[in-house]
Amino acid sequence: MNALTGAYVPGNSFLHRLPAGVKLLGLALSCTALLLLRPPVALAGAAFAVALLYALSGVGAAAAWAQIRPVRWFAVVLFAMQYLLDGWAGALSSVLRVLLAVALAGLVTLTTRTAVMMATLERLLAPVRFVGADPFRLSLLLSLTLRSVPVVAGLATRVREAQRARGTEWSVRAFAVPLVVSALRHADTLGEALSARGLDD
């Protein structure tokens, strides 16, 4: 199931030991603070803090880069668009906010087991019972959504490598079609795994 839900990195750092609820609250507060920070210098300080957290977590440089790698081209496009609208300072601030938010979310998933994340989300979503919703299924949905990001990113990387091997790296169709097919196959596999666990409805 780990291959279907993301890459938790075992460890004994203080981030691994923190309760999942505290990490989720910290993520929400940190992302809110990122939206309020404007000067690139302040965001550079935030980037240093995030890098320090990754170093203290002990997840490794490869796992850290894997969180940012899927959005690198989006960051390039965002910088170009924001540069035209708001100059280099505004463009740099926008890109840093996105990258740091993604990195922080990735750090939470890297240091939190799937079962613990689901249990925490289920407790937080308990009030939705009053409107007829199932907290367990909602927590499962949110957890799988969060964990599927690195899976789809991995699929995109493999498709891109196959493109380069065939010499079609500039073809949008040669990238999009295999990626969609691979994502659908992953969804089918995930559906079968959930069905086997009695979650087929």
Side-chain angles (χ1 to χ4, degrees), residues 2-188:
N2 186 50
L4 299 176
T5 55
Y8 165 76
V9 178
N12 194 38
S13 70
F14 82 98
L15 283 171
H16 285 83
R17 296 192 300 270
L18 274 180
V22 174
K23 284 186 274 192
L24 290 172
L25 176 61
L27 176 62
L29 293 176
S30 298
C31 289
T32 301
L34 288 175
L35 291 175
L36 299 176
L37 290 177
R38 294 296 176 183
V41 174
L43 287 166
F48 175 79
V50 172
L52 181 60
L53 286 175
Y54 265 91
L56 293 174
S57 72
V59 297
W65 169 239
Q67 309 310 304
I68 300 297
R69 185 178 180 181
V71 297
R72 65 191 187 283
W73 296 118
F74 170 77
V76 172
V77 174
L78 177 63
F79 182 87
M81 294 177 60
Q82 288 296 114
Y83 177 78
L84 294 175
L85 296 173
D86 198 24
W88 74 268
L92 183 59
S93 296
S94 297
V95 170
L96 282 174
R97 286 193 199 96
V98 171
L99 294 180
L100 291 176
V102 170
L104 286 170
L107 186 58
V108 171
T109 62
L110 289 171
T111 59
T112 310
R113 294 185 183 276
T114 302
V116 175
M117 180 76 75
M118 283 186 57
T120 301
L121 289 172
E122 187 175 354
R123 288 195 298 272
L124 293 174
L125 294 169
V128 302
R129 292 185 186 276
F130 297 108
V131 295
D134 186 348
F136 172 75
R137 293 182 184 278
L138 285 176
S139 67
L140 177 64
L141 175 62
L142 292 173
S143 180
L144 289 179
T145 300
L146 193 61
R147 298 288 186 173
S148 291
V149 173
V151 175
V152 175
L155 294 175
T157 299
R158 288 196 289 272
V159 171
R160 180 64 71 183
E161 290 173 351
Q163 273 189 285
R164 293 195 185 98
R166 295 194 302 268
T168 59
E169 61 268 29
W170 299 110
S171 172
V172 175
R173 182 179 179 182
F175 175 75
V177 173
L179 178 59
V180 171
V181 171
S182 298
L184 290 175
R185 287 176 178 170
H186 166 71
D188 285 339

